[in-house]
Amino acid sequence: MPERLMRHEQTIVRGDCIEVLSELEPESIDMCFADPPYNLQLRDSLHRPDRSLVEAVDDEWDKFDSMAAYDRFTEAWMSEVRRVLKPNGTLWVIGTYHNIYRVGTVLMDLGFWILNDVVWIKSNPMPNFRGVRFTNASETLIWAVRDKDRKDYTFNYEHMKRYNDGKQMRSDWYVREPVCSGSERIRDENGDKVHSTQKPEALLRMVVEASTNPGDLVLDPFVGSGTTAAVCRKLGRRCLGIEMIDEYVEVARKRLAAIEPGCWLEDECPQVAAGE
Amino acid sequence: MPERLMRHEQTIVRGDCIEVLSELEPESIDMCFADPPYNLQLRDSLHRPDRSLVEAVDDEWDKFDSMAAYDRFTEAWMSEVRRVLKPNGTLWVIGTYHNIYRVGTVLMDLGFWILNDVVWIKSNPMPNFRGVRFTNASETLIWAVRDKDRKDYTFNYEHMKRYNDGKQMRSDWYVREPVCSGSERIRDENGDKVHSTQKPEALLRMVVEASTNPGDLVLDPFVGSGTTAAVCRKLGRRCLGIEMIDEYVEVARKRLAAIEPGCWLEDECPQVAAGE
DNA sequence: GGTTGCTTTGAATCTCGGT
DNA sequence: GACCGAGATTCAAAGCAAC
């Protein structure tokens, strides 16, 4: 099974992420990007001032019995990821305040060494309709190397300068591309979004360009709509994605099939810039 | 002792933060701003809450032990803060990726309910000199209410709109004032900075204006250079600050004495704006 | 073909008082 | 504690229809 996986340039495997990970060779992955469930704890329904209903994330995969259960889930998948990462491999995890503190703590406790906390600043965040908090305008990406003392992780420092006018790239990223509400958003025949939390390709592009080289093997334990694999295909990186839900697997595979490999290798990513 | 403290408009108490907190009345504080030590090498700060711990880790300061010690330290001061906060009182904690994940996890586990994670975007961050990471361009402020179901915490929603062109204020704050490198930075007779992590007054001003009303009582368990108390004095808020190190106590008290109470009440804070 | 104005929507821990 | 009704509450960008 692992043998077969490695030969493909980009592969989406259907299955439970921890089970599939346990079959993989140790120290075989160059970089892992993980977009785990955020464990949102939404209580009542929410209406906009115009009385329209906000379509909430109510997927079963985002429900956990307790914070302790979420911590155990995090530790389970992340320790498997650590096992299959090369010692100088790096892990990215994205989250919001609902889960990122739990994730960051587990990550440190497992021995990962944090390199940066990147802030994705949204140009069009959903406002706080009731006016009881600040607009939640960002998500956080933790970037960490597997082993603390490995200094030879991949970071394309000079390359990333292009996103900050030739100066050292900063950890605050402004993704001008909309938050997946445009033509990039994958919808079904009814016009409904297929996945409730699809990530923009521009964001993943920064992650992949920064921390991998062409030909590297990227792991995505929570494929969802398949953005990571799609970006890897466009940038000439290999990718192994794992997804539990049949519908998402199909969507991601179809998405991959429509992409010409390496089509992004020559140009740069115009939708992202550093702050100030 | 607590009686005497409360009568003063702004007071800096010299002493161990947990000991002083334990003498305070429960549910007497409207808002707490905490800037705890980030650096795990600050053993003096860490051994205070649990003296028996000091001997145990003295010569074996490996990473796991220091993380656990930092967590215990965090839990110690934060649970005392929770005791003295009013049920609808709020807590702000500032940190970087070195400590904010530990702090956020402890905070949730103690029962605080996160309202926002505010990102302080720096206009002049220190570059990464060796070019092995992204420039660390932000710090994180967690804002949380003591009791999950209290909706009546103080949030001056309409007031804060002034910092985003009359629209709902966002959670990404651009402090245009340099990071305390100008005349605001407190220096000794040799021109050396007195405190290594002095926070800009513009940042604290946003915190105080957003989550308190004039006359409210603010707690700062880690006074340092005294920015919180100084801003409270300028904004007509009462403040109780706690600081262990004599030199900092002196500096903060001298700083307070030079401030005309309420001098900022009329105008707004010109150095901060929302993103985009 | 370009412009204007209306409609829709996005990982959201988003009210309060009476019965 | 659940249910219900009144009342207060939103920003940016995409999509689309109309002109």
Side-chain angles (χ1 to χ4, degrees):
Chain A
M1 171 89 154
E3 199 65 31
R4 187 173 61 78
L5 295 180
M6 309 303 263
R7 267 179 293 157
H8 290 75
E9 289 295 321
Q10 292 89 22
T11 308
I12 309 296
V13 177
R14 179 196 330 234
D16 175 76
C17 118
I18 294 168
E19 286 177 19
V20 175
L21 283 171
S22 69
E23 295 178 27
L24 296 183
E25 285 288 314
E27 306 191 357
S28 57
I29 303 291
D30 292 293
M31 185 272 275
C32 172
F33 176 86
D35 183 9
Y38 287 6
N39 191 23
L40 299 184
Q41 293 168 55
L42 308 176
R43 293 184 277 193
D44 301 316
S45 60
L46 178 64
H47 293 264
R48 297 185 179 81
D50 64 5
R51 297 189 203 176
S52 64
L53 180 67
V54 175
E55 194 175 337
V57 175
D58 59 355
D59 305 85
E60 280 303 316
W61 48 255
D62 197 47
K63 298 192 194 311
F64 293 84
D65 290 337
S66 65
M67 208 50 89
Y70 185 78
D71 290 344
R72 282 193 296 273
F73 162 76
T74 302
E75 190 179 329
W77 71 257
M78 199 180 280
S79 58
E80 278 301 318
V81 164
R82 189 154 196 268
R83 191 183 65 83
V84 300
L85 268 181
K86 294 179 181 174
N88 67 335
T90 60
L91 167 66
W92 293 80
V93 194
I94 186 168
T96 60
Y97 66 85
H98 309 84
N99 72 323
I100 199 67
Y101 303 112
R102 325 297 305 194
V103 163
T105 296
V106 169
L107 182 148
M108 295 170 91
D109 287 345
L110 286 177
F112 284 96
W113 190 250
I114 296 179
L115 298 170
N116 279 115
D117 53 341
V118 168
V119 182
W120 167 26
I121 309 280
K122 301 182 182 185
S123 62
N124 60 344
M126 184 183 297
N128 183 283
F129 298 115
R130 304 303 301 270
V132 293
R133 305 179 180 192
F134 297 103
T135 307
N136 228 330
S138 73
E139 298 196 20
T140 300
L141 296 97
I142 300 178
W143 182 41
V145 61
R146 200 194 94 157
D147 285 4
K148 172 183 174 181
D149 293 323
R150 294 298 290 246
K151 308 296 182 189
D152 57 336
Y153 55 86
T154 297
F155 177 48
N156 294 313
Y157 176 73
E158 290 296 330
H159 178 88
M160 298 310 287
K161 283 184 174 180
R162 67 181 59 189
Y163 301 113
N164 190 24
D165 296 325
K167 294 172 295 186
Q168 184 172 97
M169 184 56 181
R170 300 164 44 121
S171 61
D172 51 332
W173 297 359
Y174 297 76
V175 182
R176 308 202 185 286
E177 188 82 358
V179 181
C180 276
S181 61
S183 60
E184 189 181 320
R185 189 91 201 208
I186 301 174
R187 298 182 183 277
D188 60 20
E189 58 276 6
N190 301 324
D192 296 324
K193 52 192 179 189
V194 167
H195 194 279
S196 57
T197 68
Q198 183 179 343
K199 294 291 177 296
E201 292 192 2
L203 182 70
L204 266 294
R205 178 166 189 172
M206 297 293 284
V207 167
V208 170
E209 285 190 1
S211 58
T212 67
N213 292 313
D216 278 0
L217 180 55
V218 174
L219 169 68
D220 182 352
F222 307 99
V223 163
S225 59
T227 305
T228 306
V231 167
C232 283
R233 188 164 174 88
K234 291 182 177 183
L235 289 172
R237 270 71 166 177
R238 291 179 296 149
C239 184
L240 169 59
I242 307 172
E243 173 56 52
M244 195 167 47
I245 297 174
D246 293 354
E247 183 188 8
Y248 298 160
V249 172
E250 273 183 42
V251 165
R253 285 179 179 162
K254 190 182 296 179
R255 183 176 178 183
L256 275 180
I259 294 169
E260 182 193 356
C263 60
W264 271 359
L265 273 172
E266 297 306 318
D267 54 298
E268 64 186 62
C269 178
Q271 302 98 338
V272 180
E276 290 297 292
Chain B
M1 170 88 155
E3 199 66 32
R4 184 174 65 75
L5 296 180
M6 309 303 264
R7 269 180 293 159
H8 289 76
E9 290 297 320
Q10 293 88 24
T11 309
I12 309 295
V13 176
R14 180 197 329 235
D16 173 76
C17 119
I18 293 166
E19 287 176 17
V20 175
L21 283 171
S22 69
E23 296 178 25
L24 295 183
E25 286 289 315
E27 306 192 359
S28 58
I29 303 290
D30 292 293
M31 185 272 275
C32 172
F33 176 86
D35 182 10
Y38 296 3
N39 193 332
L40 301 179
Q41 270 69 26
L42 292 178
R43 299 187 193 185
D44 290 341
S45 308
L46 293 180
H47 75 236
R48 285 284 174 172
D50 184 357
R51 293 171 197 284
S52 63
L53 183 65
V54 175
E55 289 84 17
V57 296
D58 195 26
D59 286 331
E60 309 176 343
W61 198 255
D62 69 6
K63 187 179 61 57
F64 178 81
D65 280 348
S66 69
M67 283 296 175
Y70 188 80
D71 290 346
R72 283 193 290 273
F73 163 73
T74 301
E75 190 180 327
W77 70 258
M78 198 179 280
S79 58
E80 278 301 317
V81 164
R82 188 153 196 270
R83 191 184 65 83
V84 301
L85 267 181
K86 294 179 181 174
N88 67 336
T90 59
L91 166 66
W92 293 81
V93 194
I94 186 168
T96 62
Y97 66 82
H98 302 90
N99 71 322
I100 199 67
Y101 304 111
R102 324 298 306 192
V103 163
T105 296
V106 169
L107 181 149
M108 296 171 88
D109 288 344
L110 286 177
F112 284 97
W113 192 247
I114 296 179
L115 298 170
N116 279 115
D117 55 339
V118 168
V119 182
W120 166 27
I121 309 281
K122 301 182 183 186
S123 61
N124 61 344
M126 183 179 302
N128 182 278
F129 294 112
R130 297 178 49 203
V132 293
R133 306 179 184 193
F134 297 102
T135 306
N136 244 320
S138 72
E139 297 195 19
T140 300
L141 297 96
I142 301 177
W143 183 39
V145 62
R146 200 195 91 157
D147 286 4
K148 174 180 176 182
D149 291 322
R150 293 299 289 247
K151 309 294 183 186
D152 57 337
Y153 54 86
T154 297
F155 177 47
N156 294 311
Y157 176 71
E158 290 295 332
H159 178 89
M160 298 309 287
K161 282 184 173 177
R162 68 181 58 190
Y163 301 115
N164 192 25
D165 296 324
K167 292 171 298 185
Q168 183 171 99
M169 184 57 182
R170 300 165 40 121
S171 61
D172 52 333
W173 298 358
Y174 297 77
V175 182
R176 305 200 190 288
E177 189 83 355
V179 182
C180 278
S181 60
S183 60
E184 189 180 320
R185 187 90 202 209
I186 301 175
R187 296 181 184 279
D188 61 19
E189 57 277 3
N190 301 323
D192 296 325
K193 50 194 181 186
V194 166
H195 195 278
S196 59
T197 64
Q198 181 180 343
K199 295 294 177 293
E201 293 191 2
L203 182 71
L204 266 295
R205 178 168 189 168
M206 297 292 286
V207 166
V208 171
E209 286 190 359
S211 57
T212 66
N213 293 312
D216 278 0
L217 179 56
V218 174
L219 170 68
D220 182 351
F222 307 100
V223 163
S225 59
T227 304
T228 305
V231 167
C232 283
R233 188 166 175 86
K234 292 182 176 182
L235 289 173
R237 271 72 167 177
R238 291 180 295 150
C239 183
L240 169 59
I242 307 172
E243 174 54 53
M244 195 169 50
I245 298 174
D246 293 354
E247 184 189 7
Y248 297 159
V249 173
E250 273 183 43
V251 165
R253 285 178 177 164
K254 191 181 296 178
R255 184 174 177 183
L256 274 180
I259 294 170
E260 181 193 358
C263 60
W264 272 358
L265 274 173
E266 298 306 318
D267 54 297
E268 63 185 62
C269 178
Q271 303 96 339
V272 179
E276 289 300 291

